[in-house]
Amino acid sequence: QVQLVESGGGLVQTGDSLRLSCAASGGTFSTYAMGWFRQAPGKEREFVAAISRSAIIKYLSDPVKGRFTISRDNAKNTVYLQMNSLKPEDTAVYYCAAQFGDSYLRTSAQYHYWGQGTQVTVSS
């Protein structure tokens, strides 16, 4: 069983930066692809970013391209989401997720484990 714990969320102003971290335990981290998803109030959960097991493949959703980056440190069992130039529309609860293999990384249904989420609020 894999446990995922997100951290790094908070209240920031438009244009600020945040780095989210997701620490994994209970499994072999290097065997999981990792993803970040977010859910704003009244909206469905949406894909934000994903990274393959080897970090060779990375995906970013269109709304965050050029502002967010995803990375992982397999030695630390941690995946990161660096968020720059934050906008009010980035306000959401951010979840990290893990899946076996590297399949359909942008699809939430492909992920087997989920964290509890961390709140990001961007004020205008």
Side-chain angles (χ1 to χ4, degrees):
Q1 189 77 4
V2 175
Q3 291 82 43
L4 302 174
V5 179
E6 302 96 335
S7 61
L11 171 63
V12 297
Q13 295 184 335
T14 298
D16 285 350
S17 297
L18 280 174
R19 188 176 79 157
L20 304 184
S21 301
C22 174
S25 61
T28 303
F29 184 70
S30 61
T31 65
Y32 296 99
M34 301 298 295
W36 286 97
F37 294 79
R38 68 186 182 187
Q39 188 166 18
K43 295 187 177 181
E44 294 186 352
R45 188 173 298 185
E46 66 172 356
F47 168 75
V48 177
I51 187 167
S52 64
R53 292 171 293 176
S54 63
I56 292 176
I57 300 172
K58 298 179 184 181
Y59 294 115
L60 293 168
S61 65
D62 287 343
V64 307
K65 279 181 182 175
R67 300 187 298 121
F68 291 13
T69 57
I70 186 171
S71 62
R72 65 188 296 159
D73 186 337
N74 285 349
K76 294 182 178 181
N77 292 352
T78 302
V79 63
Y80 304 98
L81 184 67
Q82 178 66 44
M83 307 186 295
N84 299 328
S85 302
L86 283 161
K87 304 175 180 180
E89 51 263 45
D90 295 318
T91 295
V93 177
Y94 284 71
Y95 299 90
C96 75
Q99 63 154 270
F100 302 112
D102 292 324
S103 301
Y104 301 97
L105 295 179
R106 289 169 282 203
T107 304
S108 61
Q110 294 296 316
Y111 288 81
H112 303 92
Y113 301 103
W114 291 82
Q116 292 299 307
T118 185
Q119 176 71 48
V120 172
T121 304
V122 184
S123 64
S124 58

